[in-house]
Amino acid sequence: VVGGGPAGLSAAMVAAKRPGTRVLVFEREEAAGGIPRHCDHTGWGLRDLRWSYSGPSYARRLTKLAVDAGVHILTDTTVRKVESSGEDRIVHTVSPRGIQSYTASAVILATGCRESTRHSLLLPGKRPLGVFNTGTLQQFVHLKRIVPGTVAVVFGSEHVAFSAVMTLNKAGMKIAAMVEPDGYPHSFLPVSWSFERWYGFRLLLNCRIVNIHGNHRLTGITVEDTTTNRRTDLACDTLIVSGAFKPEITLAVESNLPIDPAAESVLADSFLHTERKGIFACGNVLHGAETGDIAALEGRWAGVQAGRYLDNRLSEPRRVRIECAAPIAWISPGNVIAPILDIPSFLYTMRVTRRIRNATVVARFGGETVWKKRYGTLTPHRRIAVPVHTWTLGADPGRNDVIRLSIEEAA
Ligand SMILES: Cc1cc2nc3c(=O)[nH]c(=O)nc-3n(C[C@H](O)[C@H](O)[C@H](O)COP(=O)(O)OP(=O)(O)OC[C@H]3O[C@@H](n4cnc5c(N)ncnc54)[C@H](O)[C@@H]3O)c2cc1C
């Protein structure tokens, strides 16, 4: 298993329960646990462990469950490439022990996701110290006990941006503003409303960053309201660039795994089997940031399927592609095994490119409408779970090997 976050640890724990299976987790950090290690607030583990843990205690709990199941965890070990040779998978690693290779019958990729940097978001201006992501902020504050500044601006307004606000507050820093280019917060309205009041900052909607100031250390930013073109200077010594998550697919690309270009994620099917025999994927490497418990449930599913693969019981009667029409951005996993009888309902997640009100999402397969559902509002960056497992059951697929997913918007 590559990656010791919630997905990888859960996959390893389940796979290790198969008699005779030896499971090794490779984790590049000094400890297993993944993102929750440095996300010190509660609410982790609700759907998988049915308890509300703090991030660090959730990470410790999952690590213990895996170790108790017989999993061996190698920390400080980065996997650089996975190759296939006949029935074997060769895992190439680098660690303080040097460059090493391991042979496995099956590999599960659980490398998580990462936030976009200011450069990939094309934020202009100087390059002073003090501009970093939420993950770095949380590592400073919760793992290294470093207070990285005094006054911060948060760029982005999805769930993790509010997690950054809590971390800044815990570090004793002031939050000057949250800046969001869209005209609405990407997290839930009650969350943004209550956070603004509780933590005393302004959420600046329809605003983009047009300059970053400071020669050595950040001294401030300039934001522009895109509806009025009015510019405002905000003094701050810390800018947290949050969200715009991307699946961490560097290893998958190095290993020549087929990538879903729309989701920029590893292409997998209902069994979380990638297009390479014996290589599975689970967690946020499939779709960018989902909550830890969803990643863990996917991990368990991948662990079960890897076990079935080792038993030669992973039948694939038929592989069907899902084609998304705009404004649907992507669906993940991108393939379906049909007919699907027992896949879990949480597995497939869809995203849209823009906010849509009164939308009906429609799935067509074999010339028939196999599913439709009306939504009040669909928001980008938010999970839309779709019950793909019901779609191919009643329909006669004929020679059709594509499910078409589209949105009908109310006039
Ligand atoms: C900054 C941030 C804050 C978040 N806050 C929350 C939150 O508050 N609540 C919530 O539910 N979700 C949050 N998330 C989403 C979070 O990603 C998931 O909750 C969960 O951690 C996903 O689990 P995972 O196992 O897929 O990935 P991760 O937890 O990211 O674990 C992936 C692991 O793989 C390791 N790895 C990657 N590549 C390699 C390699 N080549 N070799 C070896 N090891 C490798 C990484 O070091 C990491 O430990 C946050 C995400 C981010 C980025």
Side-chain angles (χ1 to χ4, degrees), residues 251-266:
L251 173 64
V253 171
E254 280 297 308
S255 307
N256 291 321
L257 288 184
I259 300 298
D260 180 340
E264 296 177 57
S265 68
V266 177

Side-chain angles (χ1 to χ4, degrees), residues 3 5-7 27-28 34-35 39 41 44 77 79 110-112 135 284 290-292:
E27 170 53 53
R28 66 184 172 194
I35 295 286
C39 248
H41 58 78
W44 293 83
T77 307
V79 175
T111 50
N284 284 348
E290 286 296 346
T291 54

